Amino acid sequence: MTDLNALNVFLALMQTHSTQRAAAKLGRSQSYVSKVLAQLREELDDQLFLRSVDGLAPTEYAKAIEPKVKAALEQVQLAIEPEVFSPKSIDKITLHIVEPYLIACGKDIIKAIRQYTQAPIEILQWNKTSESLILAEEVDIGVHALNDKPQTFYQRRIHRGTGQLHGNLDGEFVKYVVPGVNDHNDLFKLLDPKLTATIFTDNHALMVQLLDECCTIRYLPESKKSETSILLDLALIVKSSRRNSGKIKWLMELISPIVDKYKPLSYS
């Protein structure tokens, strides 16, 4: 008896003593139950059930194997059930978050995690190694732009953002470099093809200091009134094979609403 469905049919027959009632219990047709019973009889070389005035009466062999079959099915059920997850069992949490979300949401994310666990938290800026570290399971979740990635990654979209010019529009243009977003392209030219970047930095604090004399692109959550050529979707990024693990599901549910409430940083 290697078919789990056949085992369930056997136990249903033991309980109901009728192919019709067993079919109703299992949500299957009576012909299906009769077919499985015939296969079991052949495979086990025993009648298993004999017709009587009270219905199908189990043979001595059927009575003998019933507790073993029931115990085996219970063990299989336990084996395939997901483990009960508790944040207290976490030994470490590692997040890589793109700026400016890291600056705006990092503190709230830490506070939210601390309500459930005292595990060490490593929360770093997204960088060129983040994707490989996610696949190596050294980073639990990334927060970054949603884009084309291999199926080894799972991306959950949070919201859409836009890019708008900000600062001293008569000054030099500062390109704020974000790995995986604009390090190999000039998205700002979608706003104004005549723009030329003359200062490049990946440091958000420095960029803000330059805005009295320079300009850059400011990232904002999309509003109905926004009119821009730069549209970027933000997403939670995890390793596909981990997306249904207790730890990752818990972190995604915890982090997603915090990031979704992102408020633009003050550039003054």
Side-chain angles (χ1 to χ4, degrees):
M1 245 192 296
T2 57
D3 186 345
L4 293 181
N5 291 324
L7 297 180
N8 284 312
V9 168
F10 170 76
L11 291 178
L13 287 169
M14 289 294 294
Q15 295 168 5
T16 64
H17 305 285
S18 162
T19 55
Q20 184 178 5
R21 289 192 293 270
K25 180 179 178 65
L26 296 169
R28 305 299 293 264
S29 66
Q30 186 175 4
S31 61
Y32 169 80
V33 172
S34 297
K35 180 180 178 181
V36 172
L37 176 56
Q39 292 173 343
L40 289 173
R41 283 169 168 167
E42 181 178 354
E43 184 177 343
L44 299 176
D45 194 23
D46 188 272
Q47 284 298 300
L48 297 176
F49 300 94
L50 302 174
R51 294 191 180 278
S52 70
V53 293
D54 297 322
L56 295 177
T59 64
E60 292 301 315
Y61 177 74
K63 293 177 182 178
I65 66 172
E66 180 189 17
K68 300 176 185 177
V69 172
K70 189 179 296 184
L73 276 179
E74 289 174 353
Q75 289 299 313
V76 170
Q77 187 62 37
L78 286 173
I80 62 177
E81 284 182 354
E83 294 183 8
V84 177
F85 170 76
S86 170
K88 294 181 180 179
S89 66
I90 294 175
D91 56 1
K92 184 181 180 182
I93 294 171
T94 304
L95 309 172
H96 280 197
I97 303 177
V98 66
E99 289 190 347
Y101 284 85
L102 176 59
I103 302 170
C105 305
K107 182 179 178 180
D108 288 339
I109 290 173
I110 292 172
K111 288 172 65 177
I113 292 172
R114 276 291 173 258
Q115 293 181 30
Y116 300 93
T117 177
Q118 293 301 309
I121 302 170
E122 186 175 275
I123 182 166
L124 305 177
Q125 184 174 345
W126 180 281
N127 59 69
K128 293 180 180 180
T129 67
S130 296
E131 288 190 4
S132 61
L133 291 175
I134 288 173
L135 293 181
E137 300 185 11
E138 294 180 33
V139 171
D140 296 308
I141 292 181
V143 178
H144 197 254
L146 188 154
N147 51 39
D148 290 335
K149 285 182 172 59
Q151 292 184 353
T152 46
F153 291 98
Y154 168 71
Q155 302 181 88
R156 179 196 285 186
R157 182 182 180 276
I158 298 177
H159 59 218
R160 171 162 288 182
T162 66
Q164 300 177 21
L165 285 173
H166 183 80
N168 184 350
L169 301 184
D170 294 325
E172 293 184 70
F173 181 79
V174 180
K175 179 177 178 178
Y176 176 55
V177 181
V178 181
V181 176
N182 66 347
D183 43 353
H184 298 299
N185 57 60
D186 291 330
L187 291 177
F188 58 85
K189 289 188 178 292
L190 294 174
L191 293 178
D192 185 350
K194 296 179 182 178
L195 277 176
T196 299
T198 54
I199 300 174
F200 301 79
T201 182
D202 63 355
N203 187 285
H204 190 273
L206 174 59
M207 180 191 70
V208 173
Q209 293 175 31
L210 294 172
L211 292 183
D212 285 340
E213 300 175 357
C214 305
C215 65
T216 190
I217 292 179
R218 187 181 189 189
Y219 179 85
L220 302 166
E222 184 183 29
S223 66
K224 294 182 180 179
K225 296 182 180 179
S226 65
E227 296 181 3
T228 179
S229 300
I230 299 177
L231 298 174
L232 293 171
D233 287 332
L234 190 81
L236 298 182
I237 303 170
V238 303
K239 185 178 181 179
S240 291
S241 61
R242 299 184 71 198
R243 61 176 289 195
N244 289 319
S245 71
K247 178 183 182 182
I248 298 301
K249 290 172 68 175
W250 173 73
L251 281 172
M252 286 198 294
E253 294 306 316
L254 195 69
I255 294 171
S256 184
I258 297 174
V259 175
D260 194 29
K261 293 179 181 178
Y262 164 81
K263 294 182 179 179
L265 298 170
S266 172
Y267 278 31
S268 59

